[in-house]
Amino acid sequence: MTDSATTDPSTTDPDASTADRESIDPAEAALGARGLTKRFGELTAVGGVDLAVPEGELRAIIGPNGAGKTTFFNVLTNALEPTAGSVYLHGEEITETPQHARPHDGLVRSFQSNQLFTEQTVHENVRIVAQTAEQGAFSLDLLGRGRDVATERAREVLELTELEDLADETAKNLSHGDQRRLGIAMALATDPSVLLLDEPTSGLGAAETETTADLIEDIQSELGLTLLLIEHDMNIVLSRSDRITVLHRGEVLTTGTPAEIRDDDEVQEAYLGERDEEGSP
Amino acid sequence: MSDASEPAAAGRDRLRNALSRYRVPIGILLLVVLLRPVIAHDALLGSSYIASAMLIWMLFAAAFNLLYGYSGLLSFGHAIFLGTGIYGVAIGIRHFDLPYFVAAPIGVIVAGLIAYGIARLIVGYGEIYFAMLTLAFAEAIHFVVNADPFGLTGGADGLRSDTTPAWIESFRGRSVVQLGGGEFELYYFVALVFVIAMLALWQIVRSPFGRTLVAIRDNEELARAMGISTARYQTWAFTLSGVFSAVAGTLLVIRNSGASLENFGMMTGAEVILMSIFGGISYFFGPIAGAFSWFFAREYLTNLEMVAIPLVGTVDVGPILGYWRFFFGFLFVVVIVLSPQRGLWGFVRSIADRIRDRLAEVISE
């Protein structure tokens, strides 16, 4: 890749802009972004992305490696401060809200790598998040007993994610698949309205991938969540998502229904072409 | 199992649960009761002279470990807070004629305010910068105390006289407290404050606040992503750690009958780190074991003069053991290599576990 992801967003053809492909205004969406940009020096990892995910939608984000998908999640959650642009949550602008405050507003993400409180039990991992959801971003609660706070909520979440049998295991001893599931459970313990999942099936076998996809769908319908999902498994993306946004070199290539994306020539070229370059058949 | 044995078994379980749930308070009480007679045994130190100093440094190390072990933040500057407790009492009594029970809380509160102020400035820049900035603050405050501002601190001489409350009588190295018509050894006063402070620390580490600190220590990025304001938790961990260090200081000033500049020195800040790591920062009792070993090794090795070696005869080891820090340093390396993170206490626990398992096997056979 010689011309890589350094393309200036201002030079792109306005007709190719996909903002008008979104059915609603970002500022009115459950989760919206307008002109969201992240530059690292010369490199533009995310370049002027517009996004508007309506309430209750399962939106997949796809794109070849290095398309800026995870960086996009990082700027949406303010793990990385955006260079430019705005983020909206249920019609409120939250661009300036610090990272730790966003889960309390209802926006939370899971991680691509297994990020856990590795030395704690599965139950404690979820409980500590539920406790934070209950007590706020900071609480000087010195008199209570940590184990007793949010225990019930943690048990509910473990049941929902079918981890209750592993509640007393130390997180670092779980299998890769169970660790992925625990990551989702922890995000759910914040009681989110918008959930960002970063490749929840990466590293999983075919059967586990299907189970996880089922779990995600169940959670969404049961809790009425808005979901943004980064996913490589095209079967899952095409069969489960309501709409798909394709990122390419930090910019939105197109947004559409699974059928539209499947038949889009540009996507074929950018996404599948890239895969050919990587040596896939 | 027959019906008759069921209530007995249930009773045993209840007792075991209670013992396990309250093992920390039980351990703290056993410690203060047993420490003096054990070290005074002829085979060990033969004197309980250093028992109260041991308790005070155990408290200081446990307070330090609230920050290091439970929050994952290393401070090179904890002498600041021990020193503020010490000088708070010494200055209050000597210059302002304050009663000890007024001067001590003032010292502790001032230490808390200093800790909070420093933490607000230095939290959030990453662990290594945090450690370096605590070092910088420790040096700066050492410089200020040495400069003897307004004639308060006595500069390099410290505050040696008129710093002991009137209710403490010292003669021939023994200190006796005369309070409320009663008379008892200073050790028991120290032990009382020690028990209260240690129970408070225990409550902090098991509270929702303490559990959150541990989560932040394990994975700070995840904690923030899950909605935890890591900076505020770390600020308060530093503050509380400073407060309890100052409580240790308010005891050390009466134990040592005065304040000396070295209380604020680099070596004080370094010693508490070494003690905690040696004892094992992963455990509540780790730093306590570390402080005990440090004092015990120093007393024992510096008191030892003649050693009988078979076939060689008695050897005068006094001059060599004067370098006890060298031997302790060697021991430190051995423990860290054998059991990093878990330290001496982890080592002791794993041996105890092995013995228990073996006993259980023997009994079941």
Side-chain angles (χ1 to χ4, degrees), chain B:
Chain B
M1 193 182 280
S2 72
D3 286 345
S5 70
E6 266 175 17
R12 260 203 312 278
D13 279 351
R14 257 205 307 279
L15 181 67
R16 197 172 298 145
N17 282 341
L19 280 177
S20 144
R21 176 179 281 192
Y22 294 107
R23 64 180 189 277
V24 169
I26 293 168
I28 291 168
L29 288 173
L30 282 176
L31 173 69
V32 296
V33 170
L34 295 178
L35 181 66
R36 259 164 66 103
V38 167
I39 62 169
H41 192 275
D42 283 341
L44 299 173
L45 296 181
S47 149
S48 60
Y49 170 68
I50 61 161
S52 43
M54 272 181 170
L55 283 190
I56 294 166
W57 273 84
M58 285 173 184
L59 173 59
F60 183 30
F64 168 79
N65 204 44
L66 175 64
L67 186 71
Y68 189 38
Y70 287 91
S71 318
L73 291 173
L74 176 58
S75 161
F76 285 108
H78 256 52
I80 295 171
F81 312 116
L82 183 81
T84 304
I86 292 173
Y87 274 78
V89 170
I91 292 172
I93 293 178
R94 182 178 163 129
H95 294 302
F96 300 100
D97 267 334
L98 293 177
Y100 174 81
F101 292 102
V102 174
I106 291 176
V108 171
I109 291 168
V110 170
L113 291 174
I114 294 174
Y116 185 79
I118 292 178
R120 282 300 297 264
L121 288 172
I122 69 175
V123 154
Y125 295 103
E127 283 166 32
I128 186 71
Y129 297 102
F130 181 89
M132 289 302 116
L133 286 165
T134 56
L135 185 62
F137 272 100
E139 279 297 281
I141 290 179
H142 182 267
F143 179 82
V144 171
V145 175
N146 189 28
D148 194 14
F150 310 108
L152 282 176
T153 63
D157 298 332
L159 297 170
R160 282 277 152 214
S161 56
D162 306 325
T163 55
T164 312
W167 43 268
I168 293 182
E169 290 264 341
S170 290
F171 51 93
R172 290 185 195 163
R174 273 185 74 214
S175 295
V176 173
V177 174
Q178 291 163 326
L179 270 181
E183 195 179 284
F184 50 90
E185 299 250 3
L186 179 63
Y187 176 83
Y188 295 106
F189 177 73
V190 171
L192 178 70
V193 178
F194 173 83
V195 169
I196 295 169
M198 291 302 290
L199 290 179
L201 277 171
W202 178 60
Q203 172 57 30
I204 289 173
V205 301
R206 67 186 196 138
S207 72
F209 173 83
R211 301 302 310 166
T212 310
L213 287 184
V214 172
I216 296 170
R217 178 199 69 190
D218 280 0
N219 193 333
E220 194 172 337
E221 188 192 353
L222 175 65
R224 250 197 308 276
M226 292 297 127
I228 294 170
S229 175
T230 53
R232 291 184 72 189
Y233 275 97
Q234 288 170 338
T235 300
W236 276 96
F238 193 71
T239 306
L240 290 168
S241 176
V243 161
F244 282 92
S245 301
V247 171
T250 64
L251 295 174
L252 200 57
V253 64
I254 48 177
R255 159 60 170 68
N256 292 350
S257 315
S260 78
L261 184 60
E262 73 181 43
N263 297 139
F264 270 111
M266 277 297 307
M267 207 54 215
T268 307
E271 277 179 356
V272 77
I273 297 173
L274 293 177
M275 281 177 198
S276 304
I277 294 176
F278 179 74
I281 56 165
S282 307
Y283 303 100
F284 187 81
F285 280 113
I288 293 169
F292 174 83
S293 326
W294 180 274
F295 274 85
F296 186 82
R298 189 178 73 182
E299 280 307 295
Y300 192 76
L301 293 177
T302 47
N303 285 347
L304 209 60
E305 282 172 0
M306 307 297 263
V307 168
I309 300 175
L311 303 179
V312 178
T314 53
V315 178
D316 181 8
V317 292
I320 308 170
L321 290 176
Y323 300 102
W324 73 274
R325 271 181 214 278
F326 173 81
F327 294 101
F328 195 80
F330 180 71
L331 200 60
F332 185 85
V333 173
V334 170
V335 167
I336 298 305
V337 168
L338 286 179
S339 141
Q341 294 284 321
R342 305 176 67 234
L344 182 67
W345 191 250
F347 195 60
V348 170
R349 272 178 63 140
S350 65
I351 291 173
D353 285 349
R354 226 170 290 166
I355 293 173
R356 201 184 49 204
D357 292 348
R358 183 78 196 110
L359 276 179
E361 266 174 46
V362 170
I363 291 167
S364 67
E365 279 164 16

Side-chain angles (χ1 to χ4, degrees), chain A:
Chain A
M1 279 208 306
T2 46
D3 55 348
S4 76
T6 51
T7 328
D8 187 339
S10 60
T11 62
T12 46
D13 179 2
D15 291 343
S17 159
T18 48
D20 51 3
R21 285 236 187 195
E22 298 283 6
S23 53
I24 53 170
D25 189 273
E28 286 159 12
L31 177 69
R34 185 174 279 148
L36 201 59
T37 303
K38 180 66 190 176
R39 292 196 192 93
F40 299 100
E42 289 289 293
L43 177 86
T44 304
V46 175
V49 170
D50 292 318
L51 182 85
V53 187
E55 207 80 48
E57 185 172 295
L58 197 166
R59 171 77 60 96
I61 305 270
I62 63 169
N65 286 332
K69 304 182 294 290
T70 297
T71 309
F72 182 52
F73 268 20
N74 284 335
V75 283
L76 279 176
T77 54
N78 213 7
L80 292 172
E81 209 177 313
T83 315
S86 323
V87 181
Y88 302 89
L89 186 68
H90 302 299
E92 303 262 339
E93 185 174 349
I94 57 161
T95 317
E96 300 295 322
T97 314
Q99 184 194 3
H100 68 252
R102 297 194 183 191
H104 301 280
D105 294 339
L107 174 66
V108 75
R109 59 94 57 95
S110 76
F111 289 86
Q112 189 180 352
S113 58
N114 286 335
Q115 294 270 14
L116 303 167
F117 302 125
T118 45
E119 300 297 324
Q120 313 292 325
T121 63
V122 168
H123 181 267
E124 179 66 2
N125 267 269
V126 177
R127 193 204 61 76
I128 202 85
V129 179
Q131 175 193 302
T132 306
E134 204 170 282
Q135 297 195 323
F138 175 75
S139 164
L140 196 58
D141 182 354
L142 300 176
L143 297 179
R145 282 192 62 196
R147 276 197 309 192
D148 300 341
V149 180
T151 306
E152 206 42 53
R153 169 81 186 134
R155 202 168 295 142
E156 281 168 26
V157 172
L158 290 178
E159 208 170 302
L160 186 68
T161 49
E162 293 162 17
L163 281 167
E164 67 267 48
D165 293 341
L166 296 169
D168 296 326
E169 279 294 328
T170 307
K172 67 178 175 192
N173 296 337
L174 295 186
S175 71
H176 175 75
D178 290 332
Q179 288 192 345
R180 304 254 58 183
R181 192 183 285 259
L182 178 56
I184 297 173
M186 290 168 78
L188 288 177
T190 64
D191 197 11
S193 56
V194 178
L195 177 59
L196 314 182
L197 297 175
D198 195 347
E199 293 195 33
T201 67
S202 77
L204 300 186
E208 269 182 315
T209 299
E210 280 305 314
T211 329
T212 305
D214 289 343
L215 172 72
I216 292 168
E217 227 169 26
D218 290 351
I219 290 166
Q220 194 201 10
S221 59
E222 199 162 319
L223 304 176
L225 297 177
T226 304
L227 259 166
L228 197 57
L229 171 74
I230 296 177
E231 184 53 65
H232 269 304
D233 188 316
M234 288 309 283
N235 289 331
I236 289 183
V237 169
L238 293 171
S239 65
R240 315 259 177 164
S241 46
D242 298 316
R243 281 158 76 81
I244 300 168
T245 293
V246 185
L247 281 187
H248 185 50
R249 292 175 182 167
E251 293 170 34
V252 177
L253 192 65
T254 186
T255 293
T257 61
E260 287 167 351
I261 296 299
R262 196 188 293 127
D263 300 335
D264 191 304
D265 291 340
E266 239 182 331
V267 175
Q268 293 281 344
E269 197 179 316
Y271 194 72
L272 299 175
E274 196 82 23
R275 289 176 74 143
D276 284 345
E277 279 171 31
E278 283 172 13
S280 311

